[in-house]
Amino acid sequence: MRRTAGLLLTLPLLLVVACSSSTKATSPATPSASSAAPTVPAPVSEAAPMPTLSGGGFGSKATITIPDAAPSGQFVVNTVSEGDRSTVNKGDWVTVNYTAKDWTTGKDLPSSYDAGGKPQLYQAGSGQLVPAFDQSVIGKKVGSRLLVVAPPAAAFGNQGNTQLGVAPGDTVVFVLDIMESLPQDSTLSGAMTQPPATMPQVKDNGKAPVTITIPAGQAPPADLQQAVLIKGEGKQVKAGQTLVVQYTGVLWSNGQQFDSSWSHGGAQALQIGTGSVIEGWDKGLVGQTIGSRVELVVPPALGYKDQAQGAVPANSTLVFVIDILEAV
């Protein structure tokens, strides 16, 4: 939960908005609303000429060789190798590793496999990213490697991207490795341990907000309390990562639900450990493992303090149950 109402979706800027020369950015982006974005052609699976790939396979950086010919102008989404896991649907949270090259100049572009790079996390079909990312993965299986030839309409349009060195009208080639896909109604399953009796008890409701019951007649704690209800087997969450979570929050004072990811369409993305969310989340989630369900009892000093926020009165103790579904 953010310091203000709602949650924070954090995506690399180059993939999110078209950048002017004065905008700092770190990965690929959609044309801005103020510019006349060209119509994106329907993707095809093959077109001549085509780039060739060498180097490692799925899950490693690709070497892209551009043919000595002009691109066809078509939007190509070619499945180099097909995965055997779930199919990506529109609205799923997708984690993609990528390699990129400018066809027009032959210049290699930043890759998630480069030192300091990280996978791209986004909602498929949301329109937040360039069509080469946004549309290419829909209908493909997790574990697939895609070779995407993106004409300007499917890449950076008539603006280009000065931070990447992509000029207006350039065709860009991407190799996308689909690492993970999570539907918005994803939840954790498995045996759930109840927290100590002094903490709120939790009832699992499947694909709906959990029920949180406040201990009767008990004063709220002065300090942050946390309990792991389902222990995940993934890596530890680090400060600065973006998490995909399902969560429900209630007031200690009366047990009333004031927020839930289910009220926002399902799983949400937020950045942790950077002050983008309330301090109780930063302190309580960093160090937990991916795949864990965590209960946090957050005192006012680590929540909204003496400020009212929507249905949350000032000086409220907050109780959250959070499923950590993914972290990048």
Side-chain angles (χ1 to χ4, degrees), residues 43 45 75 77-94 96 122-126 131-146 176 178 180-182:
S45 60
F75 179 17
V77 181
N78 176 264
T79 302
V80 178
S81 59
E82 186 173 34
D84 58 3
R85 295 173 59 194
S86 60
T87 298
V88 177
N89 295 306
K90 184 176 181 180
D92 287 358
W93 287 103
V94 185
V96 172
Y122 62 101
Q123 274 188 291
S126 65
F133 278 71
D134 187 58
Q135 299 178 19
S136 296
V137 297
I138 296 175
K140 306 300 183 181
K141 292 184 177 180
V142 176
S144 296
R145 166 163 281 194
L146 309 178
L176 307 182
I178 307 175
E180 187 60 83
S181 179
L182 292 168

Side-chain angles (χ1 to χ4, degrees), residues 24 34 72 84 97 134 141 159-160 167 170 179 187 254 285 301:
K24 182 180 179 182
S34 61
S72 66
D84 58 3
N97 272 310
D134 187 58
K141 292 184 177 180
Q159 285 188 302
D170 282 5
M179 312 302 293
T187 59
N254 58 13
L285 296 184

Side-chain angles (χ1 to χ4, degrees), residues 18-316:
C19 301
S20 68
S21 59
S22 62
T23 303
K24 182 180 179 182
T26 55
S27 10
T30 55
S32 66
S34 61
S35 63
T39 301
V40 181
V44 298
S45 60
E46 288 282 354
M50 284 285 287
T52 57
L53 303 182
S54 57
F58 177 87
S60 61
K61 185 173 182 177
T63 299
I64 303 170
T65 301
I66 303 298
D68 188 20
S72 66
Q74 293 184 283
F75 179 17
V76 183
V77 181
N78 176 264
T79 302
V80 178
S81 59
E82 186 173 34
D84 58 3
R85 295 173 59 194
S86 60
T87 298
V88 177
N89 295 306
K90 184 176 181 180
D92 287 358
W93 287 103
V94 185
T95 304
V96 172
N97 272 310
Y98 61 92
T99 311
K101 191 163 190 169
D102 188 319
W103 182 312
T104 307
T105 65
K107 175 184 174 182
D108 288 325
L109 302 178
S111 159
S112 65
Y113 293 110
D114 295 338
K118 61 188 298 186
Q120 176 67 53
L121 171 68
Y122 62 101
Q123 274 188 291
S126 65
Q128 295 169 316
L129 306 190
V130 294
F133 278 71
D134 187 58
Q135 299 178 19
S136 296
V137 297
I138 296 175
K140 306 300 183 181
K141 292 184 177 180
V142 176
S144 296
R145 166 163 281 194
L146 309 178
L147 173 59
V148 179
V149 179
F156 300 102
N158 297 323
Q159 285 188 302
N161 190 301
T162 56
Q163 297 299 315
L164 290 178
V166 177
D170 282 5
T171 292
V172 180
V173 180
F174 296 99
V175 177
L176 307 182
D177 291 339
I178 307 175
M179 312 302 293
E180 187 60 83
S181 179
L182 292 168
Q184 282 193 283
D185 66 354
S186 297
T187 59
L188 297 179
S189 59
M192 187 176 74
T193 302
Q194 286 296 330
T198 56
M199 292 182 67
Q201 303 298 288
V202 179
K203 177 180 178 292
D204 182 271
N205 292 317
K207 294 185 181 299
V210 297
T211 301
I212 303 172
T213 303
I214 307 298
Q218 185 168 315
D223 301 318
L224 177 69
Q225 291 189 345
Q226 49 193 304
V228 177
L229 310 182
I230 298 175
K231 178 64 175 178
E233 298 180 354
K235 294 181 179 179
Q236 284 191 327
V237 172
K238 297 179 180 179
Q241 286 190 303
T242 298
L243 308 185
V244 179
V245 298
Q246 292 282 17
Y247 71 94
T248 298
V250 304
L251 300 173
W252 180 286
S253 60
N254 58 13
Q256 179 182 341
Q257 179 180 306
F258 63 88
D259 196 12
S260 173
S261 55
W262 299 100
S263 301
H264 307 294
Q268 301 289 300
L270 56 92
Q271 193 177 74
I272 201 72
T274 61
S276 299
V277 294
I278 60 174
E279 192 174 354
W281 276 45
D282 278 345
K283 289 182 177 294
L285 296 184
V286 171
Q288 302 289 354
T289 53
I290 301 169
S292 292
R293 173 171 291 175
V294 181
E295 181 179 65
L296 299 178
V297 180
V298 180
L302 300 181
Y304 295 123
K305 302 180 172 60
D306 59 356
Q307 301 296 312
Q309 292 287 339
V312 179
N315 298 307
S316 290

